[in-house]
């Protein structure tokens, strides 16, 4: 590797070898294209506001409608934001065509005005922050930058998350702003998919770098690139519509005949490396300071008892004693070389108009050092030797560095959850390459970060599944406990879905990748945990406020202490015996003043909340409970009502038809075929149960469309069903359609009553009998005549009764909401022990029920299966999506319960309560420490009790206070979720 290459800036094709650019994001055009190529491949991106979507089925419908438009290359719909992001060729389709396609799908659409480009969310590491005041300073600087829309900084993780417009400001500008403020900044990653960082092997000289430049310049779709020869990293910005990251890697590797090898770098690995580097730096500084402080201790404590050594120290060398020269030299190195970081940090804080702990350390140590130097010089000129306190500066810096080192270790422990999740992702994958005939022609190893949707991957026994996908060949058992928390291995056959990061236990599997990169379940879990750790609980505002006034208040108290003790001494208010040997009133007062400065600690307050939230989110993730943030934790510990959806939440969601009765002369088989034909187009769980029952009746077949691919599902439904026209699903009532020109209605009483269908007494009695046994009666009318009734049962989950009773024990009131008939709902509620049942009334449904409980200010949690409960989850103070790790509910919920188990509702609330108990304890300790320690350091108790804290002891107390708060938070790692057998032992705190 040639050092002369430095940071080599490489630009896209057409640029001369020496024409380098300083900004990766400045080049927006594809310089390697000629004008015709650009015109042909140019796309346009617009955002559309959509009105009328109520569930995931709606968003899927809109997305399908958009993708079907000729000229649309990509479309994604966000249900909760009611927006669609559409990429299309403007030469083939117009904005109005996009709008019409959405309206034709049955929704209202509005083209949103362009805002200058899509915003990018980037993560940046920020080094040098010591307390909440630093966080406030950095956030203020970032939010003041033009083009930055949002900025959040987390002290515990030393990370900043910035949403910015790349057309206005680049990531390099953001890093520069952080560094200009006096902190260390570096870019980690962004949500943009047009950039990749590669580690390059085979570049050993400037000539190799030139070859690499030439190759990249000739690759179509590469916008710009930069090679760092020190780290051997290549940063590439490309057009994902033209070239993929894998094609880019393969192109360079093959084009160099294997000379250059490229591997995608994992951003989390880079972050872990930075964390380890900071810990190592703190340890090195601490050891250096300790090594230089030991001779000071030796000279002050041991040498006076060794005559020969003591005589050498008392030997006069020039104007000072040899011992004084040695102390001055050693402490100067500690103060200005090892302790330089405190001056730098204090300077940048003052430059930004804020104060922090570094200011206090710099003030205390500098005051002690300057006084000692002045005392030496005064003694040399006057012959009156006052006591010197060089040891105070050295010991103070040593103890502060020890505290920082221990704090880094503790912070590393709090981020273990993300590290463990990242380690679940395998580094490589076996890619199966097939020809057009479907024959395997090659198996090769690729980086797992280069997997693309549609890839066929081979998973050997004992290895990790590299991406989310569908099994296309083979069978095995897969351990999914690391993601879902379920300890029992899950059987996987053809068409079964698999989750990336889980472990294949037995057989060989071939899977087709469906979700890769940031779309995988594991990546979403990591993202959720990161978001939670970046968030701030409302209680954190208290610490931020205290931090903003803490240091000025402490400095004022320090000056007041100095003045009070000095004036009291001058007035003779205390005896001369209190003064140190050869000391005076000023020296006596100064030691109290310095102790006040160094003992005060704003760090403990700043770390009280974020460290506890970090540990709690990690513990939750390890137990299959994903927490969105500190605000979610704070609300969850105050929950008064928990509202459960019935179907799929309290019940198993595996409906089965238990009875079918025909009330006309129609043949039973024809009746079931008729009903199955009507329900075949519905996605409702009851519809699938009816379809399966009818097929089994006709063909004695146990097969089910559940979990099958789309093609299998279509085959399941076709061939034996009637043709259906004008199908429509009626939420909360049922479905209607036409078969052979005659209308068929399948649903509840309300549907038939709305259409004036007479329900005879015989039918009513039969339906009532079903409902009283906790079954749902489905009425069928054909050609406006009630033809028959189906009885459907959905068993209650085995843990439901114990969980509901556990909630009562915790002082939480359980409520059930359902759109089912009243008798069935009451029967299910009585079975599980719920006393309050609410009806789901369309169109707002469950969301209105949630709001009705919130009217008196109560904190309400909503537990839903995440399919059609998103509005209610969003409306609740605490939304819990259960068993919905891949569902749209991730966006709506505050908690995502990965397992389909109601026990995790108890875990979520219990963990929240224990976390906030720990946060309160942290605050009590941090506040009590400062409230008690500052008066002691100021000498308030010295006249009565003789208690006096030397400055170096005060420094040790200050250093250990923040460590103790972090260690207190780490105790949450010992949390164990309540077991089923002990849930009933929980009592209200």
């Amino acid at each position: 590797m040639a050092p002369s290459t430095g940071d080599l800036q490489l630009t896209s094709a057409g640029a001369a070898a020496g024409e380098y650019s300083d900004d990766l994001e400045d080049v927006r055009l594809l310089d390697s294209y000629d004008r015709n190529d650009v015109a042909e491949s140019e796309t346009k991106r617009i955002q559309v506001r959509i009105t009328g979507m109520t569930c995931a089925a709606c968003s899927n419908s809109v997305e399908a409608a958009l993708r079907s438009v000729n000229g649309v290359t990509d479309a994604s719909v966000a249900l909760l934001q009611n927006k669609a992001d559409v990429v299309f060729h403007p030469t083939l389709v117009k904005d109005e065509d996009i709008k019409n396609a959405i309206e034709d799908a049955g929704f209202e659409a509005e083209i949103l005005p362009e805002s200058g480009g899509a915003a990018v969310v980037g993560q940046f590491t920020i080094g040098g922050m010591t307390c909440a005041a630093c966080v406030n300073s950095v956030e203020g600087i970032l939010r003041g930058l033009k083009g930055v829309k949002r900025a959040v900084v987390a002290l515990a993780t030393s990370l900043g998350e910035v949403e910015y417009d790349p057309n206005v400001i680049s990531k390099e500008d953001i890093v520069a702003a952080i560094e200009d403020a006096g902190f260390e900044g570096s870019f980690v990653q962004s949500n943009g998919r047009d950039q990749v960082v590669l580690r390059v092997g085979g570049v050993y000289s400037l000539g190799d770098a030139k070859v690499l430049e030439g190759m990249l310049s000739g690759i179509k779709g590469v916008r710009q690139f930069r090679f760092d020869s020190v780290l051997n990293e290549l940063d590439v910005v490309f057009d994902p519509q033209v070239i993929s990251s894998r094609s880019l890697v393969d192109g360079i590797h093959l084009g160099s005949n294997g000379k250059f090898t490229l591997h995608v770098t994992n951003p989390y690995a880079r972050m872990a490396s930075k964390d380890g580097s900071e810990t190592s730096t703190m340890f090195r500084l601490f050891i250096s300071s300790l090594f230089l402080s030991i001779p000071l201790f030796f000279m002050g404590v041991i040498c006076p008892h060794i005559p020969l050594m003591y005589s050498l120290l008392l030997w006069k060398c020039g104007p000072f004693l040899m011992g004084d020269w040695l102390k001055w030299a050693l402490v100067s190195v500690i103060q200005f070389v090892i302790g330089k970081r405190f001056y730098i940090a204090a300077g940048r804080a003052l430059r930004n108009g804020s104060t922090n702990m570094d200011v206090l350390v710099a003030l205390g140590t500098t005051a002690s050092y300057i006084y000692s130097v002045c005392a030496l010089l005064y003694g040399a000129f006057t012959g009156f030797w006052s006591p010197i306190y060089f040891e105070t500066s050295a010991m103070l810096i040593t103890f502060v560095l020890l505290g920082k080192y221990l704090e880094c270790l503790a912070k590393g422990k709090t981020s273990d959850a993300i590290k463990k999740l990242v380690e679940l992702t395998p580094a490589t994958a076996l890619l199966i390459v097939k020809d057009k005939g479907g024959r395997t022609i090659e198996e090769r190893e690729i980086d797992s970060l280069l997997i693309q949707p549609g890839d066929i991957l081979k998973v050997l026994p004992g290895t990790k599944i590299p991406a989310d996908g569908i099994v296309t060949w083979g069978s095995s058992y897969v351990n999914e406990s690391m993601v879902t928390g379920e300890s029992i291995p899950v059987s996987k056959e053809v068409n079964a879905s698999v989750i990336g990061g889980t472990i294949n236990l037995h057989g060989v599997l071939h899977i087709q990748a469906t979700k890769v990169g940031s779309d995988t379940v594991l990546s979403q879990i990591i993202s959720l945990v990161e978001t939670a750790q970046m968030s701030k609980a409302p209680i954190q505002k208290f610490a931020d406020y205290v931090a903003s006034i803490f240091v000025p208040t402490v400095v004022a108290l320090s000056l007041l202490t100095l003045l009070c003790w000095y004036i009291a001494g001058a007035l003779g208010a205390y005896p001369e015996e209190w003064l140190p040997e050869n000391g005076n009133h000023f020296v006596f007062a100064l030691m109290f003043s310095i102790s006040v400065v160094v003992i005060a600690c704003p760090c403990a307050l700043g770390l009280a909340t974020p460290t506890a939230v970090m540990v709690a989110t990690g513990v939750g993730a390890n137990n299959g409970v994903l927490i969105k943030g500190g605000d979610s934790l704070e609300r969850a510990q105050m929950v008064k009502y928990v509202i459960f959806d019935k179907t799929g939440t309290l019940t198993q969601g595996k409906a089965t038809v238990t009875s079918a009765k025909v009330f006309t002369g129609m043949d039973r088989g024809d009746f079931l075929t008729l009903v199955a034909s009507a329900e075949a187009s519905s996605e409702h769980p009851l519809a699938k149960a009816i379809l399966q029952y009818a097929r089994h009746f006709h063909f004695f077949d146990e097969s089910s469309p559940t979990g099958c691919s789309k093609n299998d599902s279509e085959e399941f439904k076709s061939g034996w069903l009637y043709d259906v026209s004008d199908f429509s699903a009626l939420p909360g009532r049922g479905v209607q359609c036409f078969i052979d020109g005659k209308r068929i209605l399948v649903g509840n009483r309300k549907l038939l009553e709305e259409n004036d269908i007479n329900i005879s007494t015989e039918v009513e009695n039969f339906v009532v009998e079903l409902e009283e046994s906790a079954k749902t009666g489905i009425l069928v009318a054909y050609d406006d005549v009630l033809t028959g009734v189906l009885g459907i049962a959905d068993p209650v989950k085995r843990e439901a009764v114990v969980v509901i009773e556990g909630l009562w024990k915790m002082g939480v009131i359980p409520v059930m909401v359902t759109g089912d008939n009243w008798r069935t709902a009451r029967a299910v509620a009585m079975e599980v022990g719920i006393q309050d049942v609410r009806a789901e009334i369309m169109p707002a449904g469950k969301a209105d029920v949630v709001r009705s409980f919130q009217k008196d200010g109560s904190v309400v949690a909503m537990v839903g299966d995440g399919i059609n409960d998103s509005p209610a989850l969003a409306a609740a103070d605490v939304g819990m999506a259960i068993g919905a790790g891949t569902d749209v509910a991730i966006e709506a919920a505050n908690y995502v319960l990965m397992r389909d188990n109601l026990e995790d509702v108890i875990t979520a609330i219990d963990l929240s309560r224990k976390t906030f108990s720990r946060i309160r304890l942290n605050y009590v300790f941090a506040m009590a420490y400062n409230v008690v320690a500052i008066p002691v350091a100021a000498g308030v108790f010295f006249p009565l009790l003789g208690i006096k804290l030397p400055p170096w002891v005060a420094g040790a107390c200050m250093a250990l206070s923040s460590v103790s708060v972090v260690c207190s938070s780490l105790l949450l790692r010992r949390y164990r979720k309540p077991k089923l057998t002990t849930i009933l032992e929980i009592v209200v705190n």
Side-chain angles (χ1 to χ4, degrees):
M1 179 175 67
S4 60
T5 56
D7 281 345
L8 183 59
Q9 291 281 58
L10 307 179
T11 59
S12 38
E19 294 174 346
Y20 302 145
S21 168
D22 292 332
D23 189 352
L24 277 171
E25 293 179 337
D26 283 345
V27 178
R28 298 294 167 186
L29 297 177
L30 306 179
D31 296 338
S32 60
Y33 288 7
D34 57 32
R35 295 297 178 184
N36 293 332
D37 290 333
V38 172
E40 290 175 4
S41 62
E42 184 178 302
T43 59
K44 180 180 178 181
R45 182 187 298 272
I46 64 170
Q47 284 194 334
V48 188
R49 179 180 288 113
I50 304 171
T51 305
M53 295 191 298
T54 59
C55 64
C58 298
S59 61
N60 293 338
S61 175
V62 174
E63 200 166 285
L66 289 171
R67 292 179 185 273
S68 66
V69 176
N70 183 32
V72 172
T73 60
D74 191 23
S76 60
V77 178
L79 174 63
L80 295 181
Q81 286 75 33
N82 289 317
K83 287 182 181 178
D85 192 74
V86 188
V87 180
F88 61 95
H89 293 285
T91 56
L92 300 176
V93 63
K94 305 299 181 186
D95 294 10
E96 196 64 27
D97 298 330
I98 302 293
K99 180 181 177 182
N100 293 338
I102 297 173
E103 291 176 346
D104 289 344
F107 303 90
E108 298 178 11
E110 176 191 355
I111 306 294
L112 297 176
E114 295 185 12
S115 58
V120 172
V121 178
Q123 278 191 342
F124 300 82
T125 58
I126 303 171
M129 296 188 298
T130 58
C131 63
C134 299
V135 172
N136 295 339
S137 176
V138 176
E139 282 185 347
I141 290 166
L142 292 175
R143 289 169 182 169
L145 297 175
K146 187 178 180 180
V148 172
K149 300 180 179 180
R150 180 179 61 87
V152 179
V153 176
L155 174 64
T157 58
S158 297
L159 277 178
E161 188 173 272
V162 184
E163 183 180 355
Y164 64 97
D165 185 346
N167 293 322
V168 178
I169 187 172
S170 69
K171 62 181 183 297
E172 284 80 12
D173 295 332
I174 295 173
V175 171
I178 295 171
E179 293 176 342
D180 289 343
F183 299 91
E184 299 170 8
S186 64
F187 175 75
V188 178
Q189 63 179 340
S190 72
N191 62 347
R193 301 191 181 186
D194 61 347
Q195 185 172 1
V196 64
V197 180
L198 303 167
R199 186 171 296 277
V200 185
V203 179
Y204 304 110
S205 64
L206 184 61
D208 291 337
K210 294 292 185 182
V211 172
L212 181 63
E213 175 192 14
M215 294 179 62
L216 285 166
S217 298
I219 296 177
K220 200 171 186 178
V222 173
R223 290 176 171 171
Q224 195 175 8
F225 43 89
R226 180 179 62 190
F227 178 67
D228 185 339
S229 63
V230 177
L231 299 176
N232 270 5
E233 286 187 351
L234 178 65
D235 198 347
V236 184
V237 178
F238 59 94
D239 185 354
Q241 301 290 332
V242 178
I243 188 172
S244 66
S245 55
R246 189 166 81 205
S247 300
L248 177 66
V249 169
D250 290 346
I252 296 174
H253 181 70
L254 295 175
S256 65
N257 293 320
K259 175 178 174 59
F260 299 138
T261 58
L262 297 93
H263 299 281
V264 181
T265 61
N266 191 315
Y268 298 103
R270 298 204 304 272
M271 287 168 57
S273 175
K274 286 181 178 292
D275 292 341
S277 175
E278 183 182 1
T279 303
S280 299
T281 299
M282 284 300 169
F283 180 73
R284 187 176 66 253
L285 291 173
F286 163 66
I287 292 298
S288 301
S289 182
L290 179 64
F291 180 76
L292 294 176
S293 297
I294 289 175
L296 294 172
F297 175 80
F298 188 78
M299 285 187 284
V301 178
I302 306 298
C303 286
H305 301 286
I306 304 175
L308 179 62
M309 297 293 296
Y310 196 52
S311 63
L312 289 174
L313 294 177
L314 295 177
W315 177 51
K316 192 163 186 179
C317 183
F320 310 123
L321 300 178
M322 179 59 70
D324 293 335
W325 280 115
L326 290 174
K327 289 180 181 179
W328 192 356
L330 289 171
V331 172
S332 294
V333 175
I334 296 174
Q335 182 79 26
F336 300 110
V337 179
I338 297 174
K340 179 179 66 173
R341 67 180 306 279
F342 296 111
Y343 285 102
I344 294 174
R348 68 190 173 210
L350 295 173
R351 188 167 65 247
N352 294 320
S354 63
T355 51
N356 58 16
M357 188 203 73
D358 295 302
V359 173
L360 296 179
V361 174
L363 278 175
T365 57
T366 303
S368 176
Y369 180 86
I370 291 177
Y371 163 75
S372 299
V373 172
C374 292
L376 279 178
L377 296 175
Y378 183 76
F381 283 106
T382 65
F384 180 78
W385 299 95
S386 298
I388 57 176
Y389 295 96
F390 280 128
E391 298 91 339
T392 296
S393 298
M395 296 299 288
L396 175 57
I397 290 175
T398 301
F399 276 114
V400 171
L401 289 173
L402 172 61
K404 286 292 179 187
Y405 169 64
L406 295 176
E407 194 176 304
C408 286
L409 287 178
K411 285 182 179 179
K413 292 292 184 182
T414 62
S415 58
D416 279 350
I418 288 183
K419 293 176 184 176
K420 289 179 181 178
L421 289 169
V422 172
E423 290 170 358
L424 291 178
T425 305
T428 60
L430 279 175
L431 176 67
I432 299 176
V433 182
K434 297 186 177 183
D435 59 17
K436 293 182 179 179
R439 294 186 298 272
T440 299
I441 58 175
E442 180 188 5
E443 286 183 16
R444 63 187 179 97
E445 192 174 76
I446 64 170
D447 280 357
S448 61
L449 295 174
L450 294 177
I451 297 172
Q452 299 172 356
D455 283 348
I456 303 297
L457 307 169
K458 184 177 182 178
V459 186
L460 300 175
T463 61
K464 295 175 182 176
I465 294 173
D468 293 0
I470 300 294
V471 176
T472 60
W473 179 88
S475 63
S476 181
Y477 281 87
V478 174
N479 180 4
E480 297 182 343
S481 61
M482 62 288 299
V483 176
T484 66
E486 293 284 3
S487 59
I488 301 175
V490 182
S491 174
K492 299 294 180 181
E493 305 283 346
V494 173
N495 294 321
S497 60
V498 291
I499 302 173
T502 56
I503 300 175
N504 178 28
L505 297 178
H506 301 299
V508 176
L509 295 176
H510 290 184
I511 68 167
Q512 182 177 26
T514 55
K515 292 184 178 180
V516 299
S518 60
D519 293 330
T520 64
V521 171
L522 189 58
S523 294
Q524 290 184 49
I525 293 174
I526 293 173
S527 177
L528 282 172
V529 174
E530 275 191 328
T531 301
Q533 295 182 349
M534 289 292 298
S535 68
K536 291 185 178 181
I539 196 174
Q540 180 68 24
K541 294 178 182 178
F542 167 74
D544 292 343
Y545 171 73
V546 172
S548 66
I549 62 172
F550 188 88
V551 175
T553 303
V554 169
V555 173
L557 288 173
S558 174
L559 293 175
L560 182 63
T561 301
L562 176 66
L563 289 173
C564 289
W565 278 107
Y566 181 72
I567 293 172
L571 296 175
Y574 55 81
E576 296 291 326
E577 290 79 11
W578 287 7
L579 299 179
E581 185 179 356
N582 296 328
N584 53 43
H585 295 296
F586 176 76
V587 174
F588 185 65
L590 182 63
M591 290 302 101
F592 283 117
S593 177
I594 292 175
S595 294
V596 169
V597 169
V598 299
I599 203 169
C601 182
C603 294
L605 282 170
L607 292 169
T609 297
T611 53
V613 170
M614 279 190 68
V615 177
T617 53
V619 169
N622 290 336
N623 286 283
V625 177
L626 304 182
I627 308 166
K628 281 289 187 72
D631 53 343
S632 302
L633 278 166
E634 185 164 350
R635 291 195 299 269
Q637 53 99 26
M638 299 184 293
V639 165
K640 182 178 180 181
Y641 296 98
V642 175
I643 301 176
F644 292 92
D645 176 39
K646 180 178 77 70
T647 305
T649 303
L650 285 174
T651 64
Q652 295 178 11
K654 299 175 182 177
T656 56
V657 178
T658 59
S659 58
K661 188 172 183 179
V662 182
F663 291 92
T664 64
M666 182 179 292
D667 178 73
R668 181 184 177 88
D670 293 340
F671 169 73
L672 291 175
T673 304
L674 194 73
V675 180
S677 300
E679 292 284 11
S681 299
S682 174
E683 295 298 323
H684 196 281
L686 298 185
K688 295 179 180 179
I690 294 172
L691 193 62
Q692 183 179 358
Y693 181 81
R695 181 180 178 93
H696 177 64
F697 177 85
H698 285 293
F699 305 105
F700 303 102
D701 183 3
E702 293 291 345
S703 62
S704 168
T706 305
C708 295
S709 66
K710 183 177 179 181
N711 291 336
D712 292 332
S713 183
E714 291 301 321
E715 181 183 348
F716 180 86
K717 297 175 183 178
S718 63
W720 60 283
L721 301 175
Y722 300 134
D723 292 331
V724 172
S725 61
D726 297 333
F727 172 87
S728 61
L730 307 172
R733 289 168 290 175
V735 301
Q736 77 169 11
C737 62
F738 287 86
I739 296 177
D740 294 333
K742 298 178 180 178
R743 185 174 65 168
I744 180 170
L745 302 171
V746 183
N748 55 22
R749 288 187 187 85
K750 187 175 182 180
L751 176 62
L752 270 64
E753 290 170 354
E754 287 177 353
N755 290 275
D756 297 326
I757 306 296
N758 180 53
I759 302 176
S760 67
T761 303
E762 182 185 7
V763 173
E764 180 65 26
N765 292 338
F766 181 73
V767 173
V768 168
E769 183 182 340
L770 291 172
E771 293 170 348
E772 288 178 344
S773 58
K775 298 176 182 177
T776 300
I778 302 297
L779 288 74
V780 181
Y782 181 57
D783 197 17
D784 294 338
V785 176
L786 199 157
T787 308
V789 176
L790 296 169
I792 298 181
D794 186 2
V796 170
K797 291 179 178 176
R798 61 180 178 83
E799 74 276 7
V801 176
V802 178
V803 170
I804 296 302
E805 189 170 349
L807 288 172
W808 283 111
K809 291 279 188 179
M810 296 173 72
V812 179
I813 302 173
V815 180
M816 188 180 80
V817 60
T818 180
D820 208 339
N821 68 82
W822 193 249
R823 289 189 186 89
T824 302
R826 287 300 302 173
V828 172
M830 290 175 63
E831 184 178 351
V832 299
I834 291 179
Q835 299 175 6
D836 193 346
V837 181
R838 300 297 175 98
E840 174 187 353
I841 302 173
M842 293 298 167
K846 300 180 182 72
D848 274 348
V849 174
V850 169
R851 295 186 189 101
S852 68
F853 282 97
Q854 293 172 323
K855 288 180 180 178
D856 62 353
S858 298
V859 178
V860 178
M862 172 70 197
V863 184
D865 60 12
I867 297 172
N868 61 345
D869 299 323
S870 296
L873 291 170
D877 299 292
V878 181
M880 298 184 184
I882 186 167
T886 60
D887 194 74
V888 69
I890 284 182
E891 297 180 44
N894 305 103
Y895 286 74
V896 178
L897 312 181
M898 296 299 295
R899 302 187 307 159
D900 190 11
N901 194 316
L902 291 173
E903 294 175 53
D904 289 341
V905 175
I906 295 278
T907 301
I909 297 175
D910 186 54
L911 176 60
S912 300
R913 290 182 175 182
K914 284 186 169 56
T915 300
F916 260 79
S917 294
R918 181 62 55 180
I919 289 174
R920 293 188 188 98
L921 183 63
N922 288 350
Y923 274 120
V924 167
F925 176 79
M927 291 296 293
Y929 165 80
N930 284 290
V931 168
V932 173
I934 292 176
V936 171
V940 172
F941 303 105
F942 181 71
L944 295 176
L945 304 176
I947 298 175
K948 181 182 177 182
L949 288 181
W952 70 270
V953 175
C957 293
M958 182 271 290
L960 295 176
S961 65
S962 58
V963 175
S964 61
V965 167
V966 175
C967 291
S968 171
S969 296
L970 285 174
L971 290 176
L972 281 170
R973 297 179 69 192
R974 301 173 60 186
Y975 174 84
R976 295 293 180 269
K977 64 181 181 179
K979 296 181 180 178
L980 194 63
T981 55
T982 60
I983 284 178
L984 300 184
E985 299 175 9
I986 299 175
V987 294
V988 182
N989 293 326

